[in-house]
Amino acid sequence: MAKLTKTQQKKFRPVLLEILRQLDVKLGRLEEAVLLADVEKSGDDGEDAGGEGYSRDFQLGLLENEGEILKSTRLALERIDKGTYGTCLACKELIPERRLEVVPYAEYCVACQELAEKGDLEFD
Ligand SMILES: [Zn+2]
């Protein structure tokens, strides 16, 4: 299994922690917005009901996406602790560092990511 050096892996820890921090803030705001939308919807006059429904779904979708990134980021930090960060979970090859710089929580190399998105990824 190809691995990044400890030093290379540790370089990404502060990057991942910063993503976690920003996501926590963002998710907090989104959750608040969804809760507020609920309160407003239960109000009396019922105007703009359609519009609010759309924006609530939209916000819930965002919450889901951000939740996924949050999960991936936490897993990436665990992989730094285990010393396996930067290795593709599927083919065990190195994820190129320039990919990690763009997507620090990446779990797969580009080729395996494409397979995963098509649902074609097979684990041994
Ligand atoms: Zn791969």
Side-chain angles (χ1 to χ4, degrees):
M1 176 159 92
K3 275 189 188 176
L4 290 182
T5 65
K6 289 260 180 234
T7 320
Q8 282 173 313
Q9 295 188 33
K10 281 194 183 131
K11 202 178 78 181
F12 287 97
R13 186 191 291 277
V15 182
L16 288 161
L17 287 174
E18 177 60 17
I19 293 176
L20 271 190
R21 199 187 60 80
Q22 286 177 4
L23 277 176
D24 270 344
V25 174
K26 235 198 251 178
L27 280 172
R29 281 207 200 114
L30 274 174
E31 266 161 19
E32 214 171 283
V34 171
L35 287 176
L36 278 178
D38 264 354
V39 174
E40 277 166 25
K41 223 193 222 163
S42 59
D44 44 310
D45 57 16
E47 272 175 55
D48 299 319
E52 272 176 30
Y54 172 78
S55 106
R56 186 183 148 81
D57 280 353
F58 180 69
Q59 280 164 341
L60 282 177
L62 276 182
L63 263 180
E64 247 167 56
N65 271 340
E66 307 284 351
E68 283 298 306
I69 298 175
L70 192 68
K71 206 168 74 186
S72 301
T73 307
R74 290 212 174 107
L75 289 173
L77 282 164
E78 276 176 29
R79 288 198 296 278
I80 293 182
D81 289 338
K82 283 192 266 175
T84 59
Y85 177 77
T87 304
C88 174
L89 292 186
C91 69
K92 316 289 185 206
E93 292 298 323
L94 277 185
I95 301 173
E97 252 190 285
R98 60 168 196 285
R99 168 160 165 80
L100 291 172
E101 274 156 17
V102 184
V103 193
Y105 46 83
E107 295 172 330
Y108 305 115
C109 68
V110 177
C112 292
Q113 181 70 49
E114 276 173 16
L115 289 178
E117 276 163 17
K118 276 192 272 173
D120 283 346
L121 194 60
E122 281 175 28
F123 289 95
D124 23 296

CSV table of all heavy atoms in Angstrom, one decimal, residues 6-47:
chain,number,residue,atom,x,y,z
A,6,LYS,N,4.7,10.6,7.2
A,6,LYS,CA,4.0,11.2,8.4
A,6,LYS,C,3.9,12.8,8.2
A,6,LYS,O,2.9,13.4,8.5
A,6,LYS,CB,4.7,10.9,9.7
A,6,LYS,CG,4.6,9.4,10.0
A,6,LYS,CD,3.5,9.3,11.1
A,6,LYS,CE,3.4,7.8,11.5
A,6,LYS,NZ,2.1,7.2,11.5
A,7,THR,N,5.1,13.3,7.8
A,7,THR,CA,5.2,14.8,7.7
A,7,THR,C,4.2,15.3,6.6
A,7,THR,O,3.5,16.3,6.9
A,7,THR,CB,6.6,15.2,7.3
A,7,THR,OG1,7.5,14.4,8.0
A,7,THR,CG2,6.9,16.7,7.6
A,8,GLN,N,4.1,14.6,5.5
A,8,GLN,CA,3.2,15.0,4.5
A,8,GLN,C,1.7,14.9,5.0
A,8,GLN,O,0.9,15.8,4.7
A,8,GLN,CB,3.3,14.1,3.2
A,8,GLN,CG,4.5,14.4,2.4
A,8,GLN,CD,4.7,13.4,1.3
A,8,GLN,OE1,4.7,12.2,1.5
A,8,GLN,NE2,4.9,13.8,0.0
A,9,GLN,N,1.4,13.8,5.7
A,9,GLN,CA,0.1,13.7,6.2
A,9,GLN,C,-0.3,14.7,7.3
A,9,GLN,O,-1.4,15.3,7.2
A,9,GLN,CB,-0.1,12.3,6.9
A,9,GLN,CG,0.1,11.1,5.9
A,9,GLN,CD,-0.2,9.8,6.5
A,9,GLN,OE1,-1.1,9.7,7.4
A,9,GLN,NE2,0.4,8.8,6.1
A,10,LYS,N,0.7,15.0,8.2
A,10,LYS,CA,0.4,16.0,9.2
A,10,LYS,C,0.2,17.4,8.7
A,10,LYS,O,-0.5,18.2,9.3
A,10,LYS,CB,1.5,16.0,10.3
A,10,LYS,CG,1.4,14.8,11.2
A,10,LYS,CD,2.3,14.9,12.4
A,10,LYS,CE,2.2,13.7,13.3
A,10,LYS,NZ,3.5,13.2,13.6
A,11,LYS,N,0.7,17.7,7.6
A,11,LYS,CA,0.5,19.0,6.9
A,11,LYS,C,-0.9,19.3,6.7
A,11,LYS,O,-1.4,20.4,6.7
A,11,LYS,CB,1.3,19.0,5.6
A,11,LYS,CG,1.6,20.3,5.0
A,11,LYS,CD,2.4,20.2,3.7
A,11,LYS,CE,1.5,19.9,2.6
A,11,LYS,NZ,2.2,19.7,1.3
A,12,PHE,N,-1.7,18.2,6.5
A,12,PHE,CA,-3.2,18.4,6.2
A,12,PHE,C,-4.0,18.5,7.5
A,12,PHE,O,-5.2,18.9,7.4
A,12,PHE,CB,-3.7,17.3,5.3
A,12,PHE,CG,-3.1,17.4,3.9
A,12,PHE,CD1,-2.0,16.7,3.5
A,12,PHE,CD2,-3.7,18.3,3.0
A,12,PHE,CE1,-1.5,16.8,2.2
A,12,PHE,CE2,-3.2,18.4,1.7
A,12,PHE,CZ,-2.1,17.7,1.3
A,13,ARG,N,-3.5,18.2,8.6
A,13,ARG,CA,-4.3,18.2,9.8
A,13,ARG,C,-4.9,19.6,10.1
A,13,ARG,O,-6.2,19.7,10.2
A,13,ARG,CB,-3.6,17.8,11.1
A,13,ARG,CG,-4.4,17.6,12.3
A,13,ARG,CD,-3.6,17.4,13.5
A,13,ARG,NE,-3.0,16.1,13.6
A,13,ARG,CZ,-3.6,15.0,14.0
A,13,ARG,NH1,-4.8,15.1,14.4
A,13,ARG,NH2,-3.0,13.9,14.0
A,14,PRO,N,-4.1,20.7,10.1
A,14,PRO,CA,-4.7,22.0,10.3
A,14,PRO,C,-5.7,22.4,9.2
A,14,PRO,O,-6.7,23.1,9.5
A,14,PRO,CB,-3.5,23.0,10.4
A,14,PRO,CG,-2.4,22.2,9.8
A,14,PRO,CD,-2.6,20.8,10.0
A,15,VAL,N,-5.5,22.0,8.0
A,15,VAL,CA,-6.4,22.3,6.9
A,15,VAL,C,-7.8,21.6,7.2
A,15,VAL,O,-8.8,22.3,7.0
A,15,VAL,CB,-5.8,21.8,5.6
A,15,VAL,CG1,-6.7,22.1,4.4
A,15,VAL,CG2,-4.4,22.3,5.3
A,16,LEU,N,-7.7,20.4,7.6
A,16,LEU,CA,-8.9,19.6,7.9
A,16,LEU,C,-9.7,20.2,9.1
A,16,LEU,O,-10.9,20.3,9.1
A,16,LEU,CB,-8.6,18.1,8.1
A,16,LEU,CG,-8.2,17.4,6.8
A,16,LEU,CD1,-7.5,16.1,7.2
A,16,LEU,CD2,-9.5,17.1,6.0
A,17,LEU,N,-8.9,20.6,10.1
A,17,LEU,CA,-9.5,21.2,11.3
A,17,LEU,C,-10.2,22.5,11.0
A,17,LEU,O,-11.3,22.8,11.5
A,17,LEU,CB,-8.5,21.4,12.4
A,17,LEU,CG,-8.0,20.1,13.1
A,17,LEU,CD1,-6.8,20.4,14.0
A,17,LEU,CD2,-9.1,19.4,13.8
A,18,GLU,N,-9.6,23.2,10.1
A,18,GLU,CA,-10.2,24.5,9.6
A,18,GLU,C,-11.5,24.2,8.9
A,18,GLU,O,-12.5,24.9,9.1
A,18,GLU,CB,-9.2,25.3,8.8
A,18,GLU,CG,-9.8,26.6,8.2
A,18,GLU,CD,-10.2,27.6,9.3
A,18,GLU,OE1,-9.8,27.5,10.5
A,18,GLU,OE2,-11.0,28.5,9.0
A,19,ILE,N,-11.5,23.2,8.0
A,19,ILE,CA,-12.8,22.9,7.3
A,19,ILE,C,-13.9,22.5,8.3
A,19,ILE,O,-15.0,22.9,8.2
A,19,ILE,CB,-12.5,21.7,6.3
A,19,ILE,CG1,-11.6,22.2,5.2
A,19,ILE,CG2,-13.9,21.2,5.8
A,19,ILE,CD1,-11.2,21.1,4.3
A,20,LEU,N,-13.5,21.7,9.3
A,20,LEU,CA,-14.4,21.3,10.4
A,20,LEU,C,-15.0,22.5,11.1
A,20,LEU,O,-16.2,22.6,11.3
A,20,LEU,CB,-13.7,20.4,11.4
A,20,LEU,CG,-13.7,18.9,11.3
A,20,LEU,CD1,-13.1,18.3,12.6
A,20,LEU,CD2,-15.0,18.3,10.9
A,21,ARG,N,-14.2,23.4,11.4
A,21,ARG,CA,-14.6,24.6,12.1
A,21,ARG,C,-15.6,25.4,11.3
A,21,ARG,O,-16.7,25.8,11.8
A,21,ARG,CB,-13.4,25.5,12.5
A,21,ARG,CG,-13.6,26.5,13.6
A,21,ARG,CD,-12.4,27.4,13.7
A,21,ARG,NE,-12.2,28.2,12.5
A,21,ARG,CZ,-12.8,29.3,12.2
A,21,ARG,NH1,-13.8,29.7,12.9
A,21,ARG,NH2,-12.6,29.9,11.0
A,22,GLN,N,-15.3,25.6,10.0
A,22,GLN,CA,-16.2,26.4,9.1
A,22,GLN,C,-17.5,25.6,8.9
A,22,GLN,O,-18.5,26.3,8.9
A,22,GLN,CB,-15.5,26.6,7.8
A,22,GLN,CG,-14.4,27.7,7.9
A,22,GLN,CD,-13.7,27.9,6.6
A,22,GLN,OE1,-14.0,27.3,5.6
A,22,GLN,NE2,-12.6,28.7,6.6
A,23,LEU,N,-17.4,24.3,8.8
A,23,LEU,CA,-18.6,23.5,8.6
A,23,LEU,C,-19.5,23.6,9.8
A,23,LEU,O,-20.8,23.7,9.7
A,23,LEU,CB,-18.3,22.1,8.3
A,23,LEU,CG,-18.0,21.8,6.8
A,23,LEU,CD1,-17.6,20.3,6.7
A,23,LEU,CD2,-19.1,22.0,5.9
A,24,ASP,N,-18.9,23.6,11.0
A,24,ASP,CA,-19.7,23.7,12.2
A,24,ASP,C,-20.5,24.9,12.3
A,24,ASP,O,-21.7,25.0,12.6
A,24,ASP,CB,-18.8,23.6,13.5
A,24,ASP,CG,-18.6,22.1,13.9
A,24,ASP,OD1,-19.4,21.3,13.5
A,24,ASP,OD2,-17.7,21.9,14.7
A,25,VAL,N,-19.9,26.0,11.9
A,25,VAL,CA,-20.5,27.3,11.9
A,25,VAL,C,-21.6,27.3,10.9
A,25,VAL,O,-22.8,27.7,11.1
A,25,VAL,CB,-19.5,28.5,11.5
A,25,VAL,CG1,-20.2,29.8,11.4
A,25,VAL,CG2,-18.4,28.5,12.6
A,26,LYS,N,-21.3,26.8,9.6
A,26,LYS,CA,-22.3,26.8,8.5
A,26,LYS,C,-23.5,26.0,8.9
A,26,LYS,O,-24.6,26.3,8.7
A,26,LYS,CB,-21.6,26.3,7.3
A,26,LYS,CG,-21.7,27.2,6.1
A,26,LYS,CD,-21.4,26.4,4.8
A,26,LYS,CE,-20.0,26.8,4.3
A,26,LYS,NZ,-19.7,26.1,3.1
A,27,LEU,N,-23.2,24.8,9.4
A,27,LEU,CA,-24.3,23.8,9.7
A,27,LEU,C,-25.2,24.4,10.8
A,27,LEU,O,-26.4,24.3,10.8
A,27,LEU,CB,-23.7,22.5,10.2
A,27,LEU,CG,-23.3,21.6,9.0
A,27,LEU,CD1,-22.6,20.3,9.6
A,27,LEU,CD2,-24.5,21.1,8.2
A,28,GLY,N,-24.5,25.1,11.8
A,28,GLY,CA,-25.3,25.7,12.9
A,28,GLY,C,-26.3,26.7,12.3
A,28,GLY,O,-27.4,26.7,12.7
A,29,ARG,N,-25.8,27.5,11.4
A,29,ARG,CA,-26.7,28.5,10.8
A,29,ARG,C,-27.8,27.9,10.0
A,29,ARG,O,-28.9,28.4,10.0
A,29,ARG,CB,-25.8,29.4,9.8
A,29,ARG,CG,-25.0,30.4,10.6
A,29,ARG,CD,-24.7,31.7,9.8
A,29,ARG,NE,-23.6,32.4,10.3
A,29,ARG,CZ,-22.4,32.5,9.7
A,29,ARG,NH1,-22.2,32.0,8.5
A,29,ARG,NH2,-21.5,33.1,10.3
A,30,LEU,N,-27.4,26.9,9.2
A,30,LEU,CA,-28.5,26.2,8.3
A,30,LEU,C,-29.5,25.6,9.2
A,30,LEU,O,-30.7,25.7,8.9
A,30,LEU,CB,-27.8,25.2,7.5
A,30,LEU,CG,-27.2,25.6,6.2
A,30,LEU,CD1,-26.5,24.5,5.5
A,30,LEU,CD2,-28.3,26.1,5.2
A,31,GLU,N,-29.1,24.9,10.3
A,31,GLU,CA,-30.1,24.3,11.1
A,31,GLU,C,-31.0,25.3,11.8
A,31,GLU,O,-32.2,25.1,11.8
A,31,GLU,CB,-29.4,23.5,12.3
A,31,GLU,CG,-29.2,22.0,11.9
A,31,GLU,CD,-28.1,21.3,12.7
A,31,GLU,OE1,-27.8,21.8,13.8
A,31,GLU,OE2,-27.6,20.3,12.2
A,32,GLU,N,-30.5,26.4,12.1
A,32,GLU,CA,-31.2,27.5,12.7
A,32,GLU,C,-32.3,28.0,11.7
A,32,GLU,O,-33.4,28.2,12.0
A,32,GLU,CB,-30.3,28.6,13.1
A,32,GLU,CG,-30.7,29.4,14.3
A,32,GLU,CD,-29.6,30.3,14.7
A,32,GLU,OE1,-28.6,29.9,15.3
A,32,GLU,OE2,-29.7,31.5,14.3
A,33,ALA,N,-31.8,28.2,10.4
A,33,ALA,CA,-32.7,28.7,9.4
A,33,ALA,C,-33.8,27.7,9.1
A,33,ALA,O,-35.0,28.1,8.9
A,33,ALA,CB,-31.9,28.9,8.1
A,34,VAL,N,-33.5,26.4,9.1
A,34,VAL,CA,-34.6,25.4,8.9
A,34,VAL,C,-35.6,25.4,10.1
A,34,VAL,O,-36.8,25.4,9.9
A,34,VAL,CB,-33.9,24.0,8.8
A,34,VAL,CG1,-35.0,22.9,8.8
A,34,VAL,CG2,-33.1,23.9,7.5
A,35,LEU,N,-35.0,25.5,11.3
A,35,LEU,CA,-35.9,25.6,12.5
A,35,LEU,C,-36.8,26.8,12.4
A,35,LEU,O,-38.0,26.8,12.6
A,35,LEU,CB,-35.1,25.6,13.8
A,35,LEU,CG,-34.5,24.3,14.1
A,35,LEU,CD1,-33.6,24.4,15.4
A,35,LEU,CD2,-35.6,23.2,14.4
A,36,LEU,N,-36.2,28.0,12.0
A,36,LEU,CA,-37.0,29.2,11.9
A,36,LEU,C,-38.0,29.1,10.9
A,36,LEU,O,-39.2,29.6,11.1
A,36,LEU,CB,-36.0,30.4,11.6
A,36,LEU,CG,-35.3,31.0,12.8
A,36,LEU,CD1,-34.3,32.1,12.3
A,36,LEU,CD2,-36.3,31.6,13.8
A,37,ALA,N,-37.7,28.5,9.8
A,37,ALA,CA,-38.7,28.3,8.7
A,37,ALA,C,-39.9,27.5,9.2
A,37,ALA,O,-41.0,27.8,8.8
A,37,ALA,CB,-38.0,27.6,7.5
A,38,ASP,N,-39.6,26.5,10.0
A,38,ASP,CA,-40.7,25.7,10.6
A,38,ASP,C,-41.6,26.6,11.5
A,38,ASP,O,-42.8,26.5,11.3
A,38,ASP,CB,-40.1,24.6,11.5
A,38,ASP,CG,-40.0,23.3,10.8
A,38,ASP,OD1,-40.4,23.3,9.7
A,38,ASP,OD2,-39.4,22.4,11.4
A,39,VAL,N,-41.0,27.4,12.3
A,39,VAL,CA,-41.8,28.3,13.2
A,39,VAL,C,-42.6,29.2,12.3
A,39,VAL,O,-43.8,29.4,12.6
A,39,VAL,CB,-40.9,29.1,14.1
A,39,VAL,CG1,-41.6,30.1,14.9
A,39,VAL,CG2,-40.1,28.2,15.0
A,40,GLU,N,-42.0,29.9,11.3
A,40,GLU,CA,-42.8,30.8,10.4
A,40,GLU,C,-43.9,30.1,9.7
A,40,GLU,O,-45.0,30.7,9.6
A,40,GLU,CB,-41.8,31.4,9.4
A,40,GLU,CG,-41.0,32.6,10.0
A,40,GLU,CD,-39.9,33.0,9.1
A,40,GLU,OE1,-39.9,32.7,7.9
A,40,GLU,OE2,-38.9,33.5,9.6
A,41,LYS,N,-43.7,28.9,9.3
A,41,LYS,CA,-44.7,28.1,8.6
A,41,LYS,C,-45.9,27.9,9.4
A,41,LYS,O,-47.0,27.9,8.9
A,41,LYS,CB,-44.1,26.8,8.1
A,41,LYS,CG,-44.5,26.5,6.6
A,41,LYS,CD,-44.1,25.1,6.4
A,41,LYS,CE,-43.5,24.9,5.0
A,41,LYS,NZ,-42.8,23.6,5.0
A,42,SER,N,-45.7,27.6,10.7
A,42,SER,CA,-46.8,27.3,11.6
A,42,SER,C,-47.6,28.6,12.0
A,42,SER,O,-48.5,28.5,12.7
A,42,SER,CB,-46.4,26.6,12.8
A,42,SER,OG,-45.4,27.3,13.5
A,43,GLY,N,-47.1,29.7,11.5
A,43,GLY,CA,-47.8,31.0,11.7
A,43,GLY,C,-49.2,31.0,11.0
A,43,GLY,O,-49.6,30.1,10.3
A,44,ASP,N,-50.0,32.1,11.3
A,44,ASP,CA,-51.4,32.0,10.9
A,44,ASP,C,-51.8,32.3,9.5
A,44,ASP,O,-52.6,31.6,8.9
A,44,ASP,CB,-52.2,33.0,11.8
A,44,ASP,CG,-51.5,34.3,12.0
A,44,ASP,OD1,-50.3,34.3,12.3
A,44,ASP,OD2,-52.1,35.3,11.8
A,45,ASP,N,-51.1,33.2,8.8
A,45,ASP,CA,-51.7,33.7,7.5
A,45,ASP,C,-51.5,32.8,6.3
A,45,ASP,O,-52.2,32.9,5.3
A,45,ASP,CB,-51.3,35.2,7.2
A,45,ASP,CG,-49.8,35.4,7.2
A,45,ASP,OD1,-49.1,34.3,7.1
A,45,ASP,OD2,-49.4,36.5,7.3
A,46,GLY,N,-50.4,32.0,6.3
A,46,GLY,CA,-50.3,31.0,5.2
A,46,GLY,C,-49.9,31.6,3.9
A,46,GLY,O,-49.9,30.9,2.9
A,47,GLU,N,-49.5,32.8,3.8
A,47,GLU,CA,-49.0,33.4,2.6
A,47,GLU,C,-47.6,32.8,2.2
A,47,GLU,O,-46.9,32.4,3.1
A,47,GLU,CB,-48.8,35.0,2.8
A,47,GLU,CG,-50.1,35.7,2.4
A,47,GLU,CD,-49.8,37.2,2.7
A,47,GLU,OE1,-48.9,37.8,2.2
A,47,GLU,OE2,-50.6,37.8,3.5
